[in-house]
Amino acid sequence: MANRQMAQAPENPLRLSWHDTQMMATLSPQTVMDYFCRKSNPFYDHVCNNETIRMQRLGIEHLHNMVGMEYILLHVAEPILYVIRKQHRYNPSEATPIADYYIIGGTVYKAPDLANVINARILNTVVNLQSAFEEASSYARYHPNKGYYWDFSSNKVLSDKSKNDKKDPNAAKDDNSGTLFQKQRVDMLLAELLRKFPPPIPPMLQNLQQPLQVASGTEGSMGANSAENHAIGPLDVATESIDMKPPPEKKSK
């Protein structure tokens, strides 16, 4: 019961249309007002001055002398277009437009106002932008090495276009190479793990390492002695050269 008592929302008049198949073929500037003022037309308000003069069998020129709601023929483009205006008349020289209706090919439509036109255009723009963003986001891909990039392989047209474009030589990189930050970070982590957890040396390598240490020790001592000899050697040579000078010759008297 509650659902039945709820008033249904009125249908948008911009989506309505009306026509009379019996009078469509006989439309003319003289008969178009009679065609529009039929009782089956949902756009026609029966409480108007047009209905009053029809009941009194008066001419359309009497509308200018009346006050209230009326319909007038505003524009004619024979044989297909007729524009009818709904307005409220206050005196013979003053009237306020309320709505416009146009008849194309015998079908009556309500003309949208400026607010509806702007809202429709904005809505159409938003829908197109949303579909464009959704399509663009479907081609977006992410890789840890590359970051975000476009993949148009699913779209043949865009894929061929991207292949024909000039390729940047710096852009082509090996997928497995990684960035400089990744390489440095991995090396740092490996060095830290080796420092905290050094691997054990096998016994065979320990036995081979001892003779090498002894040999390196002897070579080190020999190198030190040779260095000392080299350091002392020039002094000895210098002294010997001084001692081996011949004595001075004696002069004859």
Side-chain angles (χ1 to χ4, degrees):
M1 293 293 293
N3 294 333
R4 293 180 180 179
Q5 292 178 358
M6 291 178 61
Q8 295 181 355
E11 190 174 358
N12 188 358
L14 296 177
R15 299 184 179 181
L16 293 177
S17 63
W18 175 86
H19 66 278
D20 190 344
T21 56
Q22 297 179 358
M23 296 184 62
M24 287 175 62
T26 60
L27 277 181
S28 65
Q30 292 77 25
T31 61
V32 67
M33 290 304 300
D34 294 334
Y35 180 77
F36 183 84
C37 295
R38 295 181 68 84
K39 294 182 179 181
S40 58
N41 184 5
F43 302 111
Y44 179 64
D45 187 1
H46 301 281
V47 184
C48 63
N49 295 335
N50 298 75
E51 190 69 19
T52 301
I53 63 174
R54 287 183 64 187
M55 293 174 63
Q56 297 178 2
R57 299 182 181 275
L58 300 175
I60 196 70
E61 63 274 2
H62 290 83
L63 286 175
H64 296 280
N65 300 324
M66 301 178 69
V67 177
M69 199 72 62
E70 66 181 19
Y71 294 89
I72 62 170
L73 182 60
L74 182 65
H75 178 73
V76 177
E78 278 188 283
I80 190 172
L81 177 62
Y82 302 92
V83 179
I84 296 174
R85 171 165 290 179
K86 179 182 181 180
Q87 61 185 11
H88 190 279
R89 183 170 294 279
Y90 301 98
N91 52 57
S93 60
E94 184 181 358
T96 301
I98 297 176
D100 290 336
Y101 304 91
Y102 58 95
I103 303 174
I104 297 181
T107 304
V108 182
Y109 304 92
K110 182 180 180 180
D113 54 9
L114 183 59
N116 289 323
V117 172
I118 295 176
N119 289 335
R121 296 295 177 87
I122 293 176
L123 180 61
N124 190 22
T125 303
V126 171
V127 170
N128 291 333
L129 286 175
Q130 184 178 1
S131 61
F133 281 127
E134 290 177 356
E135 184 177 0
S137 63
S138 65
Y139 298 118
R141 300 291 184 272
Y142 177 77
H143 193 276
N145 294 338
K146 292 182 178 180
Y148 288 97
Y149 65 97
W150 300 107
D151 183 12
F152 300 108
S153 58
S154 59
N155 192 324
K156 185 177 180 181
V157 177
L158 295 177
S159 179
D160 296 340
K161 183 178 180 181
S162 60
K163 289 181 181 179
N164 295 331
D165 293 340
K166 294 182 179 179
K167 296 182 178 179
D168 186 5
N170 298 327
K173 295 181 179 180
D174 188 9
D175 295 343
N176 300 324
S177 62
T179 61
L180 181 62
F181 171 78
Q182 292 173 343
K183 292 179 180 179
Q184 293 177 351
R185 185 68 178 174
V186 170
D187 293 342
M188 184 182 68
L189 292 175
L190 291 176
E192 187 71 17
L193 289 174
L194 287 175
R195 186 179 64 82
K196 290 183 178 180
F197 309 101
I201 301 175
M204 296 179 62
L205 294 179
Q206 290 180 357
N207 297 332
L208 294 175
Q209 191 175 6
Q210 290 178 357
L212 293 175
Q213 291 178 354
V214 173
S216 62
T218 55
E219 289 178 357
S221 61
M222 292 176 64
N225 295 333
S226 63
E228 292 177 357
N229 294 333
H230 283 297
I232 300 172
L235 295 175
D236 296 339
V237 171
T239 54
E240 289 178 358
S241 61
I242 294 173
D243 295 340
M244 294 183 65
K245 285 184 179 180
E249 296 180 359
K250 295 182 179 181
K251 294 184 182 180
S252 59
K253 295 182 179 179

